[in-house]
Amino acid sequence: MDRAGRAAILAYRCWLSHRWPGKCGYTPTCSAYGLAALERYGLAVGGRMGADRLRRCRPGVPRGTHDPLRWPRLPRTVRRLSNLTCALRISIRVISII
């Protein structure tokens, strides 16, 4: 499935990108962003991130606006668990110092 998404983006870049009337204002371009997101996060998460980027792409965006690939936002339960493990690590360090 990941290969199908990658092939779709590469086909767009090869056959449609240069024929499209507007130019992407973001750096990296929306297709490069989508390709990097697919390669890093897979089809489900990377595809959603690429679709979100396409929704943000509007004609009023100044050319050269830097919008790098970011980590996707984790679900609340995962964030709570990561905060808990961080607090446990800190408390273990404090106890080991004492």
Side-chain angles (χ1 to χ4, degrees), residues 1 5 7 20 38 41 43 45-46 52 57 60 68 77 83 86-87 92:
M1 270 318 240
W20 200 260
L38 277 177
Y41 301 113
L43 186 63
V45 175
D52 289 343
C57 194
T77 55
N83 290 339
C86 183
I92 290 171

Side-chain angles (χ1 to χ4, degrees), residues 2 36-47 49 69-72:
D2 293 346
L38 277 177
E39 289 174 352
R40 185 177 292 177
Y41 301 113
L43 186 63
V45 175
M49 290 173 72
L69 185 63
R70 293 184 176 88
W71 289 98

Side-chain angles (χ1 to χ4, degrees), residues 2 9 13-14 23 34 40 53 60 64-66 70 82 87 95:
D2 293 346
I9 291 175
R13 289 176 100 178
C14 183
K23 299 286 184 187
R40 185 177 292 177
R53 170 69 177 270
T65 301
H66 188 64
R70 293 184 176 88
S82 65
I95 291 171

Side-chain angles (χ1 to χ4, degrees), residues 22-64:
K23 299 286 184 187
C24 186
Y26 287 113
T27 303
T29 62
C30 292
S31 61
Y33 182 93
L35 193 59
L38 277 177
E39 289 174 352
R40 185 177 292 177
Y41 301 113
L43 186 63
V45 175
R48 184 181 50 93
M49 290 173 72
D52 289 343
R53 170 69 177 270
L54 284 175
R55 278 189 227 110
R56 287 194 308 265
C57 194
R58 305 204 189 280
V61 175
R63 300 250 326 139

